[in-house]
Amino acid sequence: MAINTNRPTSPHLQVYKLPLTGIISITHRMTGIILTAGLILFVYVISALAGGADSYTAMQALMGLWLFRLVIWAFIYALFFHLCHGVRHLIWDSGSSFELDTLNRYAMIELAASLALTLMTFAWGYYGL
């Protein structure tokens, strides 16, 4: 049987435009992975605290690097995003809010709330507000 290489391939992800709710769903899964990685980092911090002054000093030096600061803020955003999405799922569990306009409005509220909570945490941590 000969293989016809002139056949068109079926459309793939680059052809379709995902709806906002689809992007939010994928982001929710990604933030779950970020939270897992952040918890591993948290275990490292706790073990450095238990390890004494030398390990604590080494951990502080490592956490002072810009890359780890970025990782910490990504962890904080992931935490708030995951929290807001969980609240959205609780609303869905009530059996309401499944209309398309409501879904998109709640997705935007979810994004805004998670960003606002992250920025408030940033302000509280750095400025003591």
Side-chain angles (χ1 to χ4, degrees):
M1 178 178 247
I3 297 175
N4 184 0
T5 58
N6 293 329
R7 289 180 34 189
T9 58
S10 69
H12 196 54
L13 292 176
Q14 68 269 21
V15 175
Y16 297 112
K17 183 178 185 279
L18 281 174
L20 179 60
T21 53
I23 294 169
I24 295 290
S25 178
I26 292 168
T27 306
H28 183 248
R29 287 165 175 78
M30 290 180 354
T31 57
I33 293 169
I34 292 170
L35 287 174
T36 302
L39 286 175
I40 293 169
L41 185 63
F42 180 72
V43 168
Y44 165 69
V45 169
I46 296 299
S47 67
L49 287 170
D54 291 337
S55 64
Y56 179 72
T57 305
M59 181 269 303
Q60 275 189 319
L62 187 65
M63 292 299 159
L65 298 174
W66 69 270
L67 179 62
F68 280 96
R69 288 185 183 266
L70 182 67
V71 166
I72 290 168
W73 284 109
F75 176 73
I76 291 170
Y77 178 75
L79 180 67
F80 285 130
F81 183 86
H82 216 74
L83 173 75
C84 292
H85 196 77
V87 169
R88 189 172 175 207
H89 272 274
L90 286 175
I91 293 169
W92 286 346
D93 287 344
S94 71
S96 62
S97 305
F98 290 112
E99 298 80 27
L100 185 58
D101 291 339
T102 307
L103 289 172
N104 288 331
R105 186 175 65 245
Y106 281 0
M108 294 303 291
I109 291 170
E110 178 183 337
L111 287 171
S114 60
L115 185 61
L117 288 168
T118 303
L119 291 176
M120 286 190 309
T121 302
F122 178 78
W124 180 64
Y126 281 98
Y127 303 114
L129 300 176

